């Protein structure tokens, strides 16, 4: 073995060792005890931030500030086309919506067609207790009607709507019942 | 007789092992939509959500998901979200809301620990004038605001809280290229875990790839749910959703590094599955790789 060959062999071995070390330093997955699972290494820091420090002391006893204001009042109104609809397209292909909020209660109604392609008209009613910080949701279907559109509120307790064919109906907001006009 | 006893013992042992291995769906926690139209209203609404969540906390580590609405530009170089009440809030205003949620959670704290998550969506970003660069910045600064929230929580001594981000990324709501940028931006910032609580709508229910709604590929859904800092919290409302997300998992495991892990599920009311049934359906198709989170818009 000549001296130059020996130098080349040593250099090649160094490169291989360096490459191996680099791979060892950047594992594809890391084990996270807080999850009990391996995750891709690039998620390790975000997961650590989300899990927090399990050894941290308990919550401070000091009370947090309470906001002065109240949840916004919203007069009943039809939602414009630019306002986002929160309901997944899996559930609803929306036509339009209507929102009202007074004091403790918010009601939002989204009208359209069921997202499963069944041809059913559908309302998704979101109700929020804005002081209690809770939310509920109800789905009301009108079989084989095609897409529904809200046309306006009637005395605040019901919404008028129309089917694709132009048939009128009424949605009772309190009980969540849709009725088509005869 | 001995054989009969041995058989009974064997059956009992097997049943015992199965019961030990099987995991039940976790208790659901309620996620909610933000309808505020003023900053004061936003703070009040968020405070009450934080308090309500804390009062009903089932224990363990759970996600308080506040969906602030559709990601939007809030100025020439600022971003935010358009609430479901139709008001555009800047990220600075949303941070004020997140801090109020943290305050409310602290004042009503009972048990467990909570990740307070800044949620938005990819709802019609391009048609509102947003570019792919805007979408990237949406994700980047969403993560940054979560980091600021975490600093606030730590400084205030809210030691049973952390901060995260979330995005309801739906193929039908906007194209894949712009939607992927939300995840790319958040991952580039790198602080916050990003829960994708969207759907795989229109994706195949079998196999390991294919096309979805609106020109998306299964690969795109895999990207927005598991690339970088993203993790999946998929909407499982019907049987087909559990099947579609199983396809996404197969695609990832066949084409990308690191095993796909579901960080829980998202549910809603009045659909095919109850919240627990949705979690169970996904877990049955992906045994051992669905974590114990179940958020419900219900």
């Amino acid at each position: 073995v000549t001296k130059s060959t020996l130098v080349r062999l040593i250099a090649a071995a160094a490169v291989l060792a360096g490459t191996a070390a680099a791979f060892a330093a950047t594992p594809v997955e890391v084990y996270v005890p807080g999850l009990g699972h391996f995750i891709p290494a690039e998620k390790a820091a975000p997961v650590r931030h989300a899990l927090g420090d399990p050894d941290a002391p308990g919550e401070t006893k000091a009370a947090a500030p309470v906001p002065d204001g109240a949840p916004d009042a919203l007069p009943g109104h039809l939602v414009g086309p630019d306002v986002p609809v929160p309901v997944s397209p899996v559930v609803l292909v929306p036509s339009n919506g209507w929102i009202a909020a007074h004091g403790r209660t918010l009601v939002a109604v989204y009208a359209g067609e069921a997202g499963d392609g069944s041809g059913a008209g559908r309302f998704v009613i979101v109700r929020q207790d804005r002081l209690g910080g809770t939310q509920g949701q109800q789905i009301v279907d009108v079989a084989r009607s095609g897409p529904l559109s809200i046309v306006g509120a009637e005395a605040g307790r019901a919404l008028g709507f129309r089917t694709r064919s132009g048939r009128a109906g009424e949605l009772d907001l309190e009980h969540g019942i849709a009725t088509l006009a005869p | 007789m001995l054989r009969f006893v041995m058989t009974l013992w064997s059956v009992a042992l097997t049943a015992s092992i199965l019961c030990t291995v099987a995991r039940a769906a976790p208790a659901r926690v309620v996620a909610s939509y933000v309808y505020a139209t003023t900053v004061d209203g936003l703070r009040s609404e968020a405070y009450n959500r934080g308090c309500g969540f804390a009062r009903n906390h089932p224990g363990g580590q759970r996600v308080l998901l506040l969906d602030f609405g559709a990601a939007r530009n809030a100025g020439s170089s600022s971003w935010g979200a358009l609430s479901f009440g139709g008001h555009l809030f800047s990220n600075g205003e949303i941070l004020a809301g997140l801090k109020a949620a943290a305050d409310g959670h602290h004042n009503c704290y009972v048990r467990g620990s909570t990740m307070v998550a800044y949620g938005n969506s990819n709802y019609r970003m391009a048609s509102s004038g947003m570019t792919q660069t805007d979408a990237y910045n949406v994700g980047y600064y969403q993560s940054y605001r979560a980091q600021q929230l975490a600093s606030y929580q730590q400084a205030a001594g809210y030691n049973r809280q952390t901060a995260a981000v979330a995005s309801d990324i739906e193929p039908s709501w906007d194209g894949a290229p712009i939607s992927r940028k939300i995840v790319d931006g958040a991952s580039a910032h790198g602080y916050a875990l990003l829960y994708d609580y969207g759907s795989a709508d229109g994706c195949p229910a079998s196999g390991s790839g294919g096309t979805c709604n609106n020109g998306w590929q299964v690969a795109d859904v895999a990207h927005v749910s598991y690339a970088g800092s993203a993790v999946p919290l998929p909407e499982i409302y019907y049987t087909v959703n559990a099947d579609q997300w199983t396809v996404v998992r197969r695609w990832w495991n066949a084409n990308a590094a690191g095993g796909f892990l579901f960080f829980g599920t998202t549910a809603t009311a009045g659909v095919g599955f109850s919240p627990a049934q949705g979690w169970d359906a996904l877990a049955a198709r992906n045994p051992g790789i669905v974590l114990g989170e179940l958020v419900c818009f219900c």
Side-chain angles (χ1 to χ4, degrees):
Chain A
V1 178
T2 65
K3 189 176 179 180
S4 65
T5 305
L6 190 61
V7 168
R8 283 179 188 158
L9 281 171
I10 290 170
V15 168
L16 281 173
T19 305
F23 273 109
T26 54
V28 173
E29 288 190 305
V30 293
Y31 183 74
V32 180
L35 295 180
H37 284 271
F38 285 89
I39 59 168
E42 60 193 348
K43 299 186 201 302
V47 165
R48 191 174 67 248
H49 298 146
L51 292 178
D53 178 5
D55 299 323
E59 290 275 294
T60 178
K61 300 293 183 192
V66 180
D68 292 330
D72 295 312
L74 301 170
H77 64 283
L78 287 171
V79 174
D82 297 334
V83 176
V85 173
V87 184
S88 171
V90 170
V91 175
L92 179 76
V93 180
S95 302
N96 65 356
W98 180 90
I99 301 173
H102 304 285
R104 187 177 197 108
T105 305
L106 176 142
V107 178
V109 182
Y110 299 96
E113 186 174 15
D116 60 5
S118 64
R122 177 166 284 181
F123 294 105
V124 178
I125 306 172
V126 177
R127 296 186 179 88
Q128 293 185 342
D129 174 347
R130 299 189 304 159
L131 300 183
T134 58
Q135 175 174 304
Q137 185 169 302
Q138 180 183 11
I139 290 178
V140 180
D141 283 345
V142 179
R144 298 182 299 281
S145 70
L148 306 174
S149 296
I150 299 167
V151 293
E154 298 171 6
R157 288 189 163 269
L159 293 180
F161 70 87
R162 288 197 182 279
T163 67
R164 179 168 49 191
S165 65
R167 194 170 171 191
E170 188 175 277
L171 175 68
D172 179 333
L173 288 175
E174 185 178 354
H175 301 99
I177 298 171
T179 310
L180 285 169
Chain B
M1 181 65 186
L2 181 62
R3 185 174 295 172
F4 176 70
V5 171
M6 290 293 286
T7 304
L8 270 182
W9 181 82
S10 171
V11 168
L13 181 65
T14 305
S16 163
I17 291 170
L18 284 175
C19 289
T20 304
V21 171
R23 290 184 57 195
R28 73 182 184 190
V29 290
V30 174
S32 51
Y33 309 126
V34 172
Y35 283 91
T37 55
T38 67
V39 176
D40 282 348
L42 175 68
R43 293 179 71 242
S44 175
E45 191 175 327
Y47 179 92
N48 293 336
R49 300 283 170 75
C51 177
F53 187 92
R55 284 192 175 130
N56 295 297
H57 200 301
Q61 182 136 30
R62 306 305 297 265
V63 177
L64 165 53
L65 175 47
L66 295 172
D67 187 336
F68 285 87
R72 288 289 182 270
N73 295 339
S76 59
S77 58
S78 68
W79 296 270
L82 181 62
S83 82
F84 298 108
H87 185 84
L88 177 60
F89 289 106
S90 69
N91 272 338
E93 293 168 334
I94 288 170
L95 178 61
L98 291 166
K99 288 178 178 177
D103 292 340
H105 187 285
H106 169 72
N107 282 351
C108 301
Y109 178 77
V110 178
R111 66 178 70 82
S113 57
T114 299
M115 301 173 208
V116 180
Y118 167 7
N120 64 12
S121 78
N122 69 328
Y123 188 87
R124 298 181 182 175
M125 294 187 296
S127 62
S128 78
M130 293 176 68
T131 65
Q132 290 190 27
T133 303
D134 290 323
Y136 180 95
N137 284 320
V138 160
Y140 187 94
Y141 287 104
Q142 202 182 357
S143 176
Y144 172 64
R145 296 299 180 171
Q147 186 175 21
Q148 289 184 307
L149 173 64
S151 297
Y152 176 78
Q153 291 165 323
Q154 289 159 15
Y158 302 164
N159 296 319
R160 293 294 176 267
Q161 294 184 33
T162 57
V165 297
S167 198
D168 183 1
I169 301 178
E170 306 270 355
S172 293
W173 280 350
D174 216 329
I178 192 170
S179 301
R180 289 170 67 117
K181 292 296 180 184
I182 295 175
V183 172
D184 294 346
S187 301
H189 184 265
Y191 178 85
L193 193 64
L194 192 167
Y195 287 93
D196 169 26
Y197 59 105
S199 72
D201 64 320
C203 294
S206 61
S208 57
T211 58
C212 312
N213 280 2
N214 203 19
W216 284 56
Q217 300 288 319
V218 169
D220 296 316
V221 179
H223 182 89
V224 300
S225 62
Y226 211 58
S229 55
V231 294
L233 196 64
E235 294 171 348
I236 308 295
Y237 299 164
Y238 300 95
T239 302
V240 67
N241 304 142
D243 292 332
Q244 289 166 323
W245 279 97
T246 302
V247 172
V248 174
R249 187 261 296 166
R250 286 195 203 106
W251 184 94
W252 181 275
N253 288 346
N255 295 282
F260 198 85
L261 179 66
F262 293 99
F263 274 58
T265 60
T266 298
T268 193
V271 292
F273 279 150
S274 70
Q277 286 172 333
W279 191 95
D280 288 340
L282 189 67
R285 289 158 177 76
N286 302 274
I289 55 169
V290 182
L291 299 183
E293 183 53 88
L294 174 51
V295 303
C296 187
F297 289 95
C298 55

